[in-house]
Structure formats: structure tokens, C-alpha cells
Amino acid sequence: MPFQLCQVNLDGAWNSEDTSAGIGVIARDSEGNLVSGAASSISAQSSIEAEAKAALEALSLSQAGNFSGVIFEFDSQILVNAINNPSKASHWLLRPVGARIRRASIFFSFSCWNWIPRKANEAANCVSTLARRRMCPESWISRPPSLLVHVLSRDGLPCPPM
């Protein structure tokens, strides 16, 4: 099986008023083509919990896709730090989460967890926000929501037709 490097963007969207949350995951191949994605409406007690659940979903999706190498990118610096160095997590509750995600990452020949600015994570943010509002089906990859197609097109990335 040839080495397949993918970039996976992920995000968690959380509403503090009712603890509703959504997670969004978008996987692209080395050419920038959309190859997989996930959206889910969940419940979370904090924004960091929603981000952590998005990270776990990103791992699951990447393992199911049999990607050899994965570059995970998202806009939660606190969680990225907890994953990259669980023993130095800024909050004790993040240590086991970071360690669990780190352990699950060994499935891949190569993986790294990077922080990116929110503006660079717009597509995953769009999916997670739509999922939180229950406006995005869980299996949207063959027919993404029009708002997501707009975001991907604006980024100049290949995307499926609406």
C-alpha cells in the first residue's frame, strides 16, 4: 500500500447556554482534494471538551480511511499543547485526554498535531457550527452543505458539486 499523507482539519463548536456542541472534521489528500469528513451534534460541558471530542473523531476517521500519515490541524492551542506534551498540559483534566489522543496517534506511520489560526480552519469551523445547529447531516461528504462548498471554493480548493 503506498504512503498516503492527508491533512485533517477539525473543530468543535460549543454553546454555553445549553451545552449543545458540534464537531466537524475535514480530510484532504496531498493534492487538496476532499477525501473524507464527519459532522456530529454532541453534548459537551466546555469548548475544550468539544475540541477534544473532535480530535477523537478525527483520529477515528483517519484510521478508518487507512491514511499512512496525517497532519492534524485545529485552532485550540491549549489542546494542541496537551496532545504534544501531555505531562505539561495547562490544566490537569487535559493530561489524560492529551495522552489518550497521543497513544491513538501511533496507528499512523507519521502524525503531527498543529495549531492553526481560526481563519485557516474555516471549513472545519463551518461544519462544526452547522452540526451544533443540527443543520449538517453526519454523512455529508458526497453532498456537502452549500455554505461549506462556498468556504472551500473561496479557499480555492477542489470540492464536490452542490
Side-chain angles (χ1 to χ4, degrees):
M1 175 187 260
F3 186 81
Q4 183 182 8
L5 180 65
C6 284
Q7 175 184 324
V8 177
N9 290 80
L10 58 119
D11 192 53
W14 180 66
N15 182 343
S16 62
E17 293 176 13
D18 62 5
T19 69
S20 66
I23 57 175
V25 180
I26 294 180
R28 295 185 185 101
D29 65 16
S30 57
E31 304 294 315
N33 296 308
L34 194 59
V35 294
S36 190
S40 186
S41 298
I42 60 168
S43 178
Q45 298 304 311
S46 67
S47 60
I48 199 73
E49 182 183 352
E51 295 280 357
K53 287 180 176 181
L56 291 169
E57 179 62 29
L59 278 166
S60 178
L61 181 120
S62 299
Q63 289 172 348
N66 289 317
F67 305 146
S68 307
V70 187
I71 300 168
F72 296 98
E73 296 185 332
F74 59 120
D75 56 24
S76 173
Q77 183 71 62
I78 293 169
L79 190 55
V80 168
N81 290 345
I83 294 167
N84 288 331
N85 195 345
S87 66
K88 293 188 178 179
S90 62
H91 192 283
W92 68 271
L93 285 173
L94 291 177
R95 288 185 186 136
V97 172
R100 178 180 171 198
I101 292 169
R102 188 89 185 143
R103 278 192 310 275
S105 298
I106 64 169
F107 174 86
F108 308 102
S109 300
F110 169 82
S111 69
C112 65
W113 294 85
N114 298 327
W115 174 83
I116 57 172
R118 180 175 296 258
K119 184 76 175 153
N121 204 34
E122 251 186 310
N125 180 263
C126 174
V127 173
S128 66
T129 301
L130 289 171
R132 184 184 61 75
R133 295 178 183 160
R134 301 185 186 281
M135 297 171 62
C136 185
E138 290 186 17
S139 346
W140 54 265
I141 196 68
S142 62
R143 202 163 169 90
S146 59
L147 185 58
L148 177 58
V149 171
H150 176 70
V151 170
L152 293 171
S153 296
R154 191 177 62 231
D155 286 348
L157 297 171
C159 58
M162 293 193 301

